[in-house]
Amino acid sequence: MDDVLSEFGVSKDRLTPECNLALYRDGENTVLFDVGSGPDFMPSAGTIVDSLDALGLAPEDITHVVFTHAHPDHIWGLLDEFDDPLFYDATYMMGRQEWDYWWNPETVSTIGEARAAFAVGAKRRMEAIEDSVVLFDDGSEILPGIAAVSSPGHTPGHMGFEIRNGSNAALVVGDAIGNHHVAFQRPSWESGSDQDAALAVKTRQMLFDRLTSEDLTLIGFHLPDGGMGKVEPYRDGYRFIGI
């Protein structure tokens, strides 16, 4: 691993990746993929309102919030300072398997001590949208031009999304491809950040196969340069080319 990290100038002691939210607008819908962590998870995060403002948008302009999964840096930003949904006019959407996993009362006691707070925090936020959330399954066209792509391993029900407009297509991968160095150059290596590391390896390879064979644009949550780029075969793995 040392040779990969040194090639990318990544410290072995501390990793501070980008956290990129994807925003899609088709003239009718304004779709936000994940909501970030809010101010309660990391002191350097929780700037989503400012980021939207920079685009001339406010929370009420978001028509749909679509979750890849329910880890803190993807869902804890759901609530405002009054514990109400920040995007109060939006329709919330999550994969059925992911919802069921975090909603299950046994998850907090089986996920492991290090992640128990993840389960508590996810359930609290999901309760706020329980009566209005739309659940979907793999392959569903959840909105015009947006299809769900099952990508489990990082979490049991992790979802990616293919966004297609004519011949142009992109793949939102969330944390299924979690960094631009080891995950790309050693895609068969298991990662401790994944809840089912072996399954995550299979998912990662499936995504790389699609990204390269179909020449899809990649949108990754923890990738550099805003998270958008292309994937190219490189040595025994792949490399990320930002665009």
Side-chain angles (χ1 to χ4, degrees), residues 70-131:
H71 274 172
D73 51 337
H74 296 257
I75 196 173
W76 280 21
L78 174 66
L79 301 179
D80 63 17
E81 63 268 30
F82 304 105
D83 280 349
D84 294 320
L86 176 62
F87 304 98
Y88 49 86
D89 285 336
T91 297
Y92 291 91
M93 310 182 80
M94 185 182 290
R96 191 181 314 277
Q97 184 179 358
E98 185 74 357
W99 178 276
D100 289 346
Y101 174 74
W102 296 101
W103 194 259
N104 187 336
E106 295 183 3
T107 294
V108 69
S109 58
T110 58
I111 196 174
E113 184 178 354
R115 291 188 171 112
F118 292 12
V120 174
K123 183 70 174 295
R124 175 170 164 252
R125 286 153 179 86
M126 291 161 65
E127 286 172 346
I129 58 172
E130 176 186 5
D131 295 332

Side-chain angles (χ1 to χ4, degrees), residues 199-236:
L199 180 57
V201 166
K202 295 179 181 179
T203 288
R204 194 155 51 243
Q205 190 61 63
M206 176 274 291
L207 293 172
F208 280 133
D209 287 345
R210 284 202 59 186
L211 288 159
T212 53
S213 65
E214 301 176 36
D215 191 30
L216 300 173
T217 296
L218 168 63
I219 303 174
F221 191 86
H222 291 303
L223 302 183
D225 302 321
M228 296 184 64
K230 292 285 189 175
V231 178
E232 293 182 352
Y234 180 68
R235 297 177 182 168
D236 295 326

Side-chain angles (χ1 to χ4, degrees), residues 1 8 10 22 28 30 35 41-42 49 61 78-79 101 129 133 146 160-162 172 177 191 198 200 208 227:
M1 181 183 294
F8 287 89
V10 176
E28 180 177 352
T30 300
V35 295
F41 185 59
M42 295 181 293
V49 175
D61 295 317
L78 174 66
L79 301 179
Y101 174 74
I129 58 172
V133 69
I146 304 178
F161 301 93
E162 180 185 312
V172 176
I177 301 175
S191 171
F208 280 133

Side-chain angles (χ1 to χ4, degrees), residues 134-154:
V134 174
L135 304 180
F136 56 85
D137 299 301
D138 178 33
S140 299
E141 185 177 39
I142 63 171
L143 289 165
I146 304 178
V149 179
S150 179
S151 47
H154 185 67

